[in-house]
Amino acid sequence: MPVKTYIQAIQEATIEEMQRDPTVFMMGEDLRKSVYGATAGLVEQFGEDRIIDTPLSENGFFGAALGASLCGMRPIVETVTSFLWVGMDQLISQAAKMRYMFGGQAELPVTFRIRMFYARGAAAHHSDRNYPVFMNTPGLKIICPTNAYDAKGLLKTAIRDNDVCMFFEDGIAISSRTEVPDNEDLPGGELLVPFGVANTVRAGSDVTVVGIAGGVQHALDAAKTLETEGISLEVIDPRTLVPLDMETILKSVERTGRLVVVDPAHKVCSAASEIAATVAQEGFWSLQAPIQVVASEQVNVPYSPALEPLIYPTPEKVVAAVRVVLD
Amino acid sequence: MPVKTYIQAIQEATIEEMQRDPTVFMMGEDLRKSVYGATAGLVEQFGEDRIIDTPLSENGFFGAALGASLCGMRPIVETVTSFLWVGMDQLISQAAKMRYMFGGQAELPVTFRIRMFYARGAAAHHSDRNYPVFMNTPGLKIICPTNAYDAKGLLKTAIRDNDVCMFFEDGIAISSRTEVPDNEDLPGGELLVPFGVANTVRAGSDVTVVGIAGGVQHALDAAKTLETEGISLEVIDPRTLVPLDMETILKSVERTGRLVVVDPAHKVCSAASEIAATVAQEGFWSLQAPIQVVASEQVNVPYSPALEPLIYPTPEKVVAAVRVVLD
Amino acid sequence: MALDKQQLEEMYRRMCLIRYFEEAVIAIHSSGELIGPAHPYIGQEAVAVGACAALRDDDRIAGSHRSHGHPIAKGGDVKRAMAEILGKVDGFCKGKGGSMHLADFSIGILGESGIVASSVPIATGAALASKLSKKDFVALVFFGDGASNQGACHESMNMAALWDLPVIFLCENNGYAITTSYKNSVSVDHVSDRASAYGMPGVLVDGQDAIAVWEATDEAVRRARAGEGPTLIEAMTYRFEEHSLGLDRIIKSEYRSSEEVEEAMKRDPLVIHRATMISHGFSTEAECDEIESTVKTEIDEAVEFARNSPYPEPGDLYDDMWATPV
Amino acid sequence: MALDKQQLEEMYRRMCLIRYFEEAVIAIHSSGELIGPAHPYIGQEAVAVGACAALRDDDRIAGSHRSHGHPIAKGGDVKRAMAEILGKVDGFCKGKGGSMHLADFSIGILGESGIVASSVPIATGAALASKLSKKDFVALVFFGDGASNQGACHESMNMAALWDLPVIFLCENNGYAITTSYKNSVSVDHVSDRASAYGMPGVLVDGQDAIAVWEATDEAVRRARAGEGPTLIEAMTYRFEEHSLGLDRIIKSEYRSSEEVEEAMKRDPLVIHRATMISHGFSTEAECDEIESTVKTEIDEAVEFARNSPYPEPGDLYDDMWATPV
Ligand SMILES: Cc1ncc(C[n+]2csc(CCOP(=O)(O)OP(=O)(O)O)c2C)c(N)n1
Ligand SMILES: Cc1ncc(C[n+]2csc(CCOP(=O)(O)OP(=O)(O)O)c2C)c(N)n1
Ligand SMILES: [Mg+2]
Ligand SMILES: [Mg+2]
């Protein structure tokens, strides 16, 4: 099976969906020259009307994407986590609320492809991992692919979905490579990964470790380390946070009795907190030990290479948390 | 002791602090005519330079308040939860991050007074209860007074604080009246309530109920109902969410073994989730039953009076949750 | 004048519809039947009606918080509008949106926004869709003098001008944003003066004269459909009522003098339009009276309809959240 | 010309400081010592230096992502600037801010913003503080042609004009936002054409000529201090390097022709300033050479200093988060 990078997978999904449906188009900054890497050659293939370079006006062009979607188009918007704040009004007041507010009249088939940089010395202004913020207001689907396979399959699903999808591209996962089948080798001829179905990336029996975005890799690394000691981790990747497949998580905790959640976002009101709270409510009787959350330190992202690595989850921190729940 | 409304308390705190410190001034929309009720007569008392009516430009004037604070002023900004989205870039990228990013050089003594309307038919665009969103990014102090006493004492503390304070004025609490002592009857001559000190509004032994913002009143109402059945609730009002006094909550849970958290915000990634997650991590061994979160339904706020009341926490929902944890 | 008798009378009919609709809403509000905020459009009828008279059914409009008038002017059903305001299932949005969100997508009413200026980018995007899908519908967005100071307007106007989008930015300058005079919130004499900053035409028009608004909009629509790009129109108008129902209880101090209000109310857009129709020999007094009384009945029926319409059921709560439920 | 020899030489010195500083940063980056993004200011030195030459120490500046030049022009210590870029404790921000956040509040450098245009409201607020506290310092904010399309600029300019704030909006139009020509992002010929939409003067100036920038800024500062309000200055300039260090690996296709780049590089602001100083008889070739070589040494020392400065300790992580820790 061919091995592809996360970026290649995104580009493939985009091309396939643009070929399939003429209403799909892209908006964003510097797409034509592919500054963020996933739109190379698209303008040559699809023309300037379908690959639109926007001015630096996130609130304006996020809203324009929404407006276009109300009139039959299916925009894909490319941006970066930290720039979402600038367009927040359109994301929360319009994207998340329009459909309901208008009694279901508004279809909003927009996909926001959001690059999530961190851990590379970009400092506080370019290192946001802000998907939890978008989970609080209902109305947005939140997708966090952690490998090329899911990136392709989930992006295709997102582009076809008639709700607003926020597709977070983890800056750590981005350089990863995974096997991604060719279309001709797939039943149905294409790769579509459904929303709301968690992926048990590794089966295990002692502790359930839920990884979010870049957290999955840390969980897998920790699992490898602990394997040598005979400790067996079950690693679950929810893949989408809205909808969130709590069933798979709760079933796993039922078997293991122990839960660690790994989330690169800031800890307070994180996706990890939400999962922990839900298990404390619905899976309480399965728990045999305190839940452990391994998330980012509640401090702004420092620039210095001497400080920044301290704040994020690491395999070592996951190992330490596992030891706590097994204690 | 004189009984005052929440709004009176806010107005008193504002006047006292403006009299005390000439660098305190206000910015916001329609302050001079006091559209939101808490600035009546201030322009007559303090002049147009200290009570500034801004254009409808939240991002612009939030940022201007921050810039003014960097140069020795202490702005109080009045706004509404739902308009925070419009100024989100200044709140997250600047207010929350500047001090750290500049290595402590930036002092940002700004208080955002934020009216939180809900439950009054204002529909999805004017009913946000979005304090949890501001808890995720470190750097903002989050204050949720639930009665006139705290409103006065916490607002005075906020105005004197050198960090950015977001002061959420719960639309339900706003019409409440509480005893607020006159300054001459206070040791020290004024009312200052410290941040990070939870208030055990009602002592009890069976279940710990943490109420957030308007949730405190529901908890107290539930406590009254259950009292008649001999069930004793301990009701805790954290008063500030950043900093959050987890110690008081954990100690209470140690005694009761049971926790219900009541939060008018949307449930997912709420302040309630955070508290539940922390107790599941740090107070696990005290727990004798699943934690219950009573928060808003994960649906946009509907306009219809037939639907809107269904989504928020109510005393009845708190009672039901208490029964679950006692089951 | 390129408008014929039928068009002029239809404009008058819609202006009356808005006026009586709003009067009914005010009555309902003061009876306590309506709890949420509602922002009467009375005094500004000529803007919505004049503008929408220049539009086709498939043209899109978007509005603001003060948006009962816009959907009615576009041809929205007053029964469903009133039912929406009462939060009933027969409302445009099944009671989920209310006064600030009277959308009917089937006739191009893309809805309004309680967040000031937030629908300006939305309308710009509708115009983008028109261009990209090679259709020829236009989008028109109504926004206030206060709204014009939001960054969303700047960004939208720049994009629209850059891409020659078929969008019309229609600023209803009623002199105030709640209590704030536009002279204290807009740093130039006129919002339309800002058009040159984007390279689009800026047109200042008498917003009390429906025909003048129609003329300006008609030309803007022509430009838009011809691919010549956006236009910024500023219609000078006046809100005859307080900012919002219920707010009169809060705003005690004067922010506009009673002389000013009285003076402005002398230029009632309904009176002006009726006078034009009659003085130019299009319609008779009797015909105008007839229109008014038919409309009155229509509004009475709308209120009746809305009152009789059921409330949504608790089970409807989660409906309409998602196209594909989560 | 109202500038004397000493001032002109100081301007030249600062332009050289910026140029060599940036060259050092580029060298350090390509050696792998620096991992984060950094945006070289080379080619635009005359803008920062010309503007800051018109400012006092207590005047405030704010900048953008491309902001090594601004703090240096304002008199910031290159040692501490370089240490910051290497993430060291002796940096302006103790290593917590890095390349995009070189602030020194003690001499009015309020810092920059990685979020484009986000510091424009901040500078406007600094000017508001000046007015409210009845001081006479001014605020000046540097932003790009791309940034000018953000709503934050519109809102800030409107407020500044309304309130006659002592703020100078200095748009550095280097022709591009990353790969996007300003002709494709600004809907009018010049950003400064937009000044009239706010009722403030708009000044177009040659950004390669430090003296021209100084003149325009000096007049804007005079206006600001006199309470006459804000000015929008657009300095036409050019960035000689790629958008960001490391990005040259990504941007493979041409977005500006090599002829255009070559042509633009003929107008090197250092060469222009040096030629003016000499041709007007202010300085000799030898004096200019002397400045250059002193600056070279200074930058070498700065790199040395930065390299020797220690990294922050893990225990410093939470410092500086709060004035009153939570
Ligand atoms: C972003 C935002 N800020 C503030 C408000 C509160 N508000 C509602 S209407 C209004 C005034 C709007 O003025 P204008 O745009 O002139 O419209 P008008 O009410 O005069 O029709 C304000 C401040 C809001 N709804 N949204
Ligand atoms: C709000 C926001 N959107 C996008 C970016 C990514 N970005 C960084 S610099 C830049 C171009 C800025 O162009 P301009 O303002 O002209 O400044 P220049 O780089 O030319 O100095 C972009 C798009 C950002 N940092 N912030
Ligand atoms: Mg108005
Ligand atoms: Mg530029």
Side-chain angles (χ1 to χ4, degrees):
Chain A
M1 215 188 282
V3 169
K4 287 170 191 159
T5 66
Y6 195 93
I7 298 249
Q8 279 172 329
I10 286 167
Q11 177 129 359
E12 272 188 22
T14 308
I15 292 173
E16 288 178 19
E17 293 307 301
M18 287 189 72
Q19 281 171 335
R20 180 179 170 270
D21 183 344
T23 65
V24 178
F25 74 102
M26 288 200 71
M27 292 181 88
E29 290 157 16
D30 306 287
L31 299 179
R32 294 174 187 163
K33 301 297 176 194
S34 191
V35 165
Y36 296 113
T39 55
L42 293 190
V43 68
E44 290 75 15
Q45 186 171 355
F46 297 106
E48 299 210 335
D49 261 12
R50 295 184 70 192
I51 305 293
I52 301 180
D53 276 358
T54 64
L56 263 156
S57 307
E58 282 81 3
N59 199 48
F61 75 78
F62 291 0
L66 298 173
S69 79
L70 295 177
C71 300
M73 303 300 291
R74 307 185 79 85
I76 305 172
V77 175
E78 185 186 82
T79 186
V80 174
T81 50
S82 300
F83 314 157
L84 296 177
W85 309 122
V86 182
M88 199 71 175
D89 180 48
Q90 291 296 321
L91 294 174
I92 300 294
S93 292
Q94 306 298 358
K97 296 178 179 174
M98 265 192 161
R99 187 171 210 287
Y100 189 75
M101 208 158 70
F102 295 138
Q105 293 178 81
E107 293 274 30
L108 294 152
V110 185
T111 301
F112 289 90
R113 274 192 42 235
I114 303 152
R115 194 59 57 84
M116 185 159 75
F117 298 115
Y118 60 104
R120 294 223 216 116
H125 268 188
H126 281 78
S127 307
D128 291 287
R129 293 132 288 123
N130 50 11
Y131 42 87
V133 159
F134 296 94
M135 293 170 69
N136 182 246
T137 301
L140 302 166
K141 291 182 175 165
I142 313 285
I143 298 122
C144 288
T146 66
N147 60 61
Y149 181 98
D150 285 345
K152 180 167 182 187
L154 289 167
L155 182 55
K156 284 173 67 82
T157 303
I159 296 170
R160 294 186 195 185
D161 197 272
N162 281 340
D163 293 309
V164 179
C165 293
M166 301 189 71
F167 185 90
F168 287 88
E169 302 170 4
D170 189 286
I172 292 177
I174 255 171
S175 49
S176 71
R177 304 164 68 86
T178 340
E179 289 193 334
V180 181
D182 285 329
N183 284 345
E184 44 277 30
D185 298 330
L186 284 162
E190 52 187 349
L191 184 61
L192 290 164
V193 174
F195 292 169
V197 182
N199 185 13
T200 303
V201 224
R202 183 188 169 113
S205 53
D206 295 327
V207 178
T208 302
V209 184
V210 176
I212 293 160
V216 173
Q217 193 54 52
H218 301 321
L220 288 171
D221 292 348
K224 259 196 210 138
T225 307
L226 289 166
E227 195 175 32
T228 60
E229 302 178 23
I231 298 172
S232 156
L233 303 191
E234 175 141 306
V235 178
I236 298 178
D237 175 356
R239 294 200 280 209
T240 61
L241 296 172
V242 179
L244 178 59
D245 178 3
M246 277 307 301
E247 206 185 306
T248 299
I249 297 171
L250 287 165
K251 279 207 179 124
S252 172
V253 174
E254 227 170 79
R255 283 189 292 103
T256 62
R258 296 177 157 83
L259 175 66
V260 172
V261 194
V262 191
D263 186 349
H266 286 300
K267 184 173 185 298
V268 176
C269 295
S270 61
S273 301
E274 180 57 28
I275 291 171
T278 306
V279 172
Q281 173 151 357
E282 296 173 25
F284 179 77
W285 297 116
S286 316
L287 287 172
Q288 292 165 39
I291 298 172
Q292 293 293 301
V293 168
V294 181
S296 284
E297 296 284 319
Q298 202 65 14
V299 70
N300 289 143
V301 176
Y303 169 77
S304 179
L307 295 178
E308 192 188 10
L310 303 176
I311 77 162
Y312 305 116
T314 57
E316 294 70 39
K317 291 183 189 174
V318 179
V319 167
V322 167
R323 295 202 198 284
V324 171
V325 301
L326 284 174
D327 209 27
Chain B
M1 215 188 282
V3 168
K4 286 170 192 159
T5 65
Y6 196 92
I7 298 249
Q8 280 171 330
I10 286 168
Q11 178 130 356
E12 273 186 22
T14 308
I15 292 173
E16 287 178 20
E17 293 307 301
M18 287 188 73
Q19 281 170 337
R20 180 178 170 272
D21 183 344
T23 64
V24 177
F25 75 102
M26 289 199 71
M27 293 181 89
E29 290 156 16
D30 304 286
L31 298 178
R32 293 175 187 162
K33 300 298 175 193
S34 192
V35 165
Y36 296 113
T39 54
L42 294 190
V43 69
E44 290 74 14
Q45 186 171 353
F46 296 106
E48 300 210 334
D49 261 11
R50 294 185 70 192
I51 305 293
I52 300 180
D53 277 358
T54 64
L56 263 155
S57 308
E58 281 81 2
N59 199 48
F61 75 78
F62 290 1
L66 298 173
S69 80
L70 294 178
C71 300
M73 302 300 291
R74 307 185 79 84
I76 306 172
V77 175
E78 185 187 82
T79 187
V80 174
T81 50
S82 301
F83 314 157
L84 296 177
W85 307 123
V86 182
M88 198 69 175
D89 180 48
Q90 291 297 320
L91 295 173
I92 300 293
S93 293
Q94 305 297 357
K97 296 177 180 175
M98 265 192 160
R99 187 172 209 287
Y100 189 75
M101 209 157 69
F102 295 137
Q105 292 177 83
E107 292 275 26
L108 295 153
V110 185
T111 301
F112 288 90
R113 275 192 42 236
I114 303 153
R115 193 60 57 84
M116 184 160 75
F117 298 116
Y118 59 104
R120 294 224 216 116
H125 268 187
H126 282 79
S127 306
D128 291 288
R129 293 132 289 123
N130 50 11
Y131 42 86
V133 159
F134 296 94
M135 294 169 68
N136 182 246
T137 302
L140 303 166
K141 291 182 176 167
I142 312 284
I143 299 124
C144 288
T146 66
N147 58 63
Y149 181 98
D150 285 345
K152 180 166 182 187
L154 289 168
L155 182 54
K156 284 172 67 82
T157 304
I159 296 170
R160 294 186 196 185
D161 197 272
N162 281 339
D163 293 308
V164 179
C165 293
M166 302 190 68
F167 185 90
F168 287 88
E169 302 172 4
D170 189 285
I172 292 177
I174 254 170
S175 49
S176 71
R177 304 164 69 86
T178 340
E179 289 193 334
V180 181
D182 285 329
N183 283 345
E184 44 276 29
D185 299 330
L186 283 162
E190 53 186 349
L191 184 60
L192 290 163
V193 174
F195 292 169
V197 182
N199 185 12
T200 303
V201 226
R202 182 187 170 113
S205 53
D206 295 327
V207 178
T208 301
V209 184
V210 176
I212 293 159
V216 173
Q217 193 54 53
H218 300 322
L220 288 171
D221 291 348
K224 258 196 210 139
T225 307
L226 289 167
E227 195 175 29
T228 60
E229 302 179 23
I231 297 170
S232 156
L233 303 191
E234 174 140 307
V235 178
I236 298 177
D237 175 355
R239 295 201 278 209
T240 61
L241 295 172
V242 179
L244 178 60
D245 179 2
M246 276 307 301
E247 208 184 305
T248 299
I249 296 171
L250 287 165
K251 280 207 178 123
S252 173
V253 174
E254 227 169 80
R255 282 189 293 101
T256 63
R258 294 176 158 84
L259 175 66
V260 173
V261 194
V262 192
D263 186 349
H266 286 300
K267 183 172 185 298
V268 176
C269 295
S270 62
S273 301
E274 181 58 27
I275 291 171
T278 307
V279 172
Q281 172 151 359
E282 295 173 26
F284 179 77
W285 298 114
S286 315
L287 286 171
Q288 292 164 39
I291 298 171
Q292 293 293 302
V293 168
V294 181
S296 285
E297 296 283 320
Q298 201 66 16
V299 70
N300 288 143
V301 176
Y303 169 76
S304 178
L307 295 178
E308 193 189 10
L310 303 176
I311 77 163
Y312 304 116
T314 58
E316 295 69 40
K317 291 183 189 174
V318 178
V319 167
V322 167
R323 295 202 199 285
V324 170
V325 300
L326 284 173
D327 211 27
Chain C
M1 198 188 304
L3 292 164
D4 61 24
K5 173 182 167 72
Q6 199 197 329
Q7 287 170 308
L8 288 169
E9 288 187 346
E10 180 58 20
M11 285 167 76
Y12 189 58
R13 195 181 72 82
R14 294 199 186 181
M15 287 168 75
C16 291
L17 266 177
I18 297 172
R19 175 70 52 95
Y20 302 151
F21 185 91
E22 293 297 54
E23 287 176 352
V25 170
I26 292 172
I28 287 172
H29 186 272
S30 51
S31 78
E33 221 174 316
L34 174 64
I35 53 156
H39 306 82
Y41 195 66
I42 293 178
Q44 304 184 200
E45 294 91 342
V47 186
V49 169
C52 289
L55 300 180
R56 299 192 317 225
D57 262 11
D58 69 333
D59 290 333
R60 309 299 205 272
I61 64 165
S64 62
H65 56 290
R66 191 176 308 290
S67 268
H68 301 169
H70 308 133
I72 297 176
K74 187 76 167 43
D77 180 355
V78 286
K79 284 196 175 71
R80 296 185 60 208
M82 193 61 85
E84 186 60 36
I85 289 175
L86 289 186
K88 303 298 187 72
V89 278
D90 294 309
F92 281 132
C93 311
K94 310 179 193 165
K96 283 175 174 146
S99 158
M100 286 187 268
H101 307 290
L102 305 178
D104 183 351
F105 279 47
S106 70
I107 49 171
I109 306 165
L110 297 185
E112 299 79 28
S113 173
I115 303 299
V116 168
S118 189
S119 56
V120 179
I122 302 287
T124 306
L128 177 64
S130 174
K131 188 181 170 189
L132 294 181
S133 58
K134 306 202 169 30
K135 305 234 170 79
D136 75 341
F137 67 83
V138 309
L140 183 150
V141 59
F142 297 97
F143 60 101
D145 46 293
S148 73
N149 299 309
Q150 289 284 7
C153 292
H154 173 71
E155 300 183 0
S156 299
M157 289 184 198
N158 183 53
M159 284 190 297
L162 272 175
W163 300 334
D164 288 327
L165 299 185
V167 55
I168 297 151
F169 299 102
L170 207 170
C171 179
E172 299 189 67
N173 187 340
N174 61 8
Y176 297 87
I178 312 189
T179 66
T180 305
S181 162
Y182 93 93
K183 297 191 173 130
N184 296 327
S185 86
V186 177
S187 69
V188 281
D189 286 345
H190 279 288
V191 176
S192 50
D193 294 344
R194 292 187 168 161
S196 66
Y198 305 99
M200 68 174 83
V203 184
L204 185 64
V205 67
D206 177 1
Q208 302 312 86
D209 179 352
I211 297 170
V213 176
W214 168 80
E215 271 174 351
T217 312
D218 193 55
E219 167 58 12
V221 168
R222 188 203 58 69
R223 274 178 50 81
R225 280 205 226 286
E228 294 169 24
T231 303
L232 170 57
I233 300 174
E234 178 181 15
M236 297 306 294
T237 182
Y238 205 81
R239 115 171 107 61
F240 289 1
E241 301 290 322
E242 271 315 327
H243 170 72
S244 166
L245 297 181
L247 206 65
D248 40 345
R249 290 192 299 266
I250 290 169
I251 303 179
K252 300 235 169 48
S253 50
E254 255 184 10
Y255 62 93
R256 47 184 200 179
S257 69
S258 43
E259 298 78 55
E260 181 190 297
V261 178
E262 272 161 35
E263 205 52 44
M265 289 181 71
K266 287 188 191 146
R267 303 204 63 245
D268 185 318
L270 274 66
V271 175
I272 291 173
H273 193 70
R274 184 180 160 125
T276 308
M277 290 196 301
I278 292 170
S279 68
H280 285 66
F282 284 105
S283 316
T284 63
E285 296 276 0
E287 283 169 326
C288 291
D289 289 346
E290 169 65 20
I291 290 172
E292 288 177 28
S293 73
T294 320
V295 166
K296 276 209 172 99
T297 315
E298 210 179 318
I299 294 297
D300 288 345
E301 285 167 6
V303 173
E304 186 71 7
F305 172 85
R307 286 201 167 119
N308 291 335
S309 170
Y311 277 118
E313 296 290 324
D316 300 341
L317 179 62
Y318 276 89
D319 290 353
D320 305 316
M321 263 302 293
W322 305 101
T324 323
V326 297
Chain D
M1 198 187 304
L3 293 163
D4 61 23
K5 173 183 168 71
Q6 200 198 328
Q7 287 169 307
L8 289 168
E9 288 186 347
E10 180 58 18
M11 285 167 75
Y12 189 58
R13 196 181 72 82
R14 293 198 186 182
M15 287 167 73
C16 291
L17 267 176
I18 297 172
R19 174 70 52 95
Y20 302 150
F21 185 91
E22 294 296 55
E23 287 175 353
V25 171
I26 293 171
I28 287 171
H29 186 273
S30 50
S31 79
E33 222 175 315
L34 174 63
I35 53 157
H39 306 82
Y41 195 67
I42 293 178
Q44 305 184 201
E45 294 90 341
V47 185
V49 170
C52 289
L55 301 180
R56 299 192 315 225
D57 262 11
D58 68 334
D59 291 331
R60 310 300 205 271
I61 63 165
S64 61
H65 56 289
R66 192 176 308 289
S67 268
H68 300 170
H70 309 134
I72 298 176
K74 185 77 168 45
D77 180 354
V78 289
K79 284 198 175 68
R80 296 185 60 208
M82 192 61 84
E84 186 60 36
I85 290 174
L86 289 187
K88 302 298 186 74
V89 280
D90 293 309
F92 281 132
C93 310
K94 310 178 193 166
K96 283 175 174 146
S99 157
M100 287 187 266
H101 307 290
L102 304 178
D104 183 350
F105 278 47
S106 70
I107 50 171
I109 306 165
L110 297 185
E112 299 80 27
S113 173
I115 303 299
V116 167
S118 189
S119 56
V120 178
I122 301 286
T124 306
L128 176 64
S130 174
K131 189 182 171 190
L132 295 180
S133 59
K134 306 202 171 23
K135 305 232 171 81
D136 74 340
F137 67 84
V138 309
L140 183 150
V141 58
F142 297 97
F143 59 101
D145 46 293
S148 74
N149 299 309
Q150 289 284 7
C153 291
H154 172 72
E155 300 183 1
S156 299
M157 290 185 198
N158 183 52
M159 284 190 297
L162 272 174
W163 301 333
D164 287 328
L165 299 184
V167 54
I168 297 149
F169 299 101
L170 207 170
C171 179
E172 299 188 68
N173 188 340
N174 62 7
Y176 296 86
I178 312 189
T179 67
T180 305
S181 162
Y182 94 94
K183 299 195 170 124
N184 296 326
S185 86
V186 177
S187 69
V188 282
D189 286 345
H190 278 288
V191 175
S192 51
D193 293 343
R194 291 186 168 162
S196 65
Y198 305 100
M200 68 173 84
V203 184
L204 185 65
V205 66
D206 176 3
Q208 302 311 87
D209 178 352
I211 298 170
V213 175
W214 168 81
E215 272 174 352
T217 312
D218 193 54
E219 167 57 14
V221 168
R222 189 205 57 69
R223 274 178 49 82
R225 280 204 226 286
E228 295 169 24
T231 303
L232 170 58
I233 299 174
E234 177 181 16
M236 298 305 294
T237 183
Y238 206 81
R239 115 172 107 61
F240 289 1
E241 299 290 321
E242 270 316 326
H243 170 73
S244 166
L245 297 181
L247 207 65
D248 41 343
R249 289 193 300 266
I250 290 168
I251 304 180
K252 301 234 171 48
S253 50
E254 254 184 15
Y255 62 93
R256 47 185 201 181
S257 68
S258 44
E259 297 77 55
E260 181 190 298
V261 179
E262 271 161 37
E263 205 53 43
M265 289 181 69
K266 286 188 191 147
R267 302 202 65 245
D268 185 318
L270 274 67
V271 175
I272 292 174
H273 192 72
R274 183 180 161 127
T276 309
M277 289 196 301
I278 292 171
S279 68
H280 284 65
F282 284 105
S283 315
T284 63
E285 297 275 0
E287 283 169 326
C288 292
D289 290 345
E290 170 65 21
I291 291 173
E292 289 177 30
S293 73
T294 320
V295 166
K296 277 211 172 98
T297 314
E298 210 179 317
I299 295 297
D300 288 344
E301 286 167 4
V303 173
E304 186 71 7
F305 172 85
R307 286 201 168 120
N308 291 334
S309 170
Y311 277 118
E313 296 290 324
D316 300 340
L317 179 62
Y318 276 88
D319 289 353
D320 304 316
M321 263 302 293
W322 306 100
T324 324
V326 298

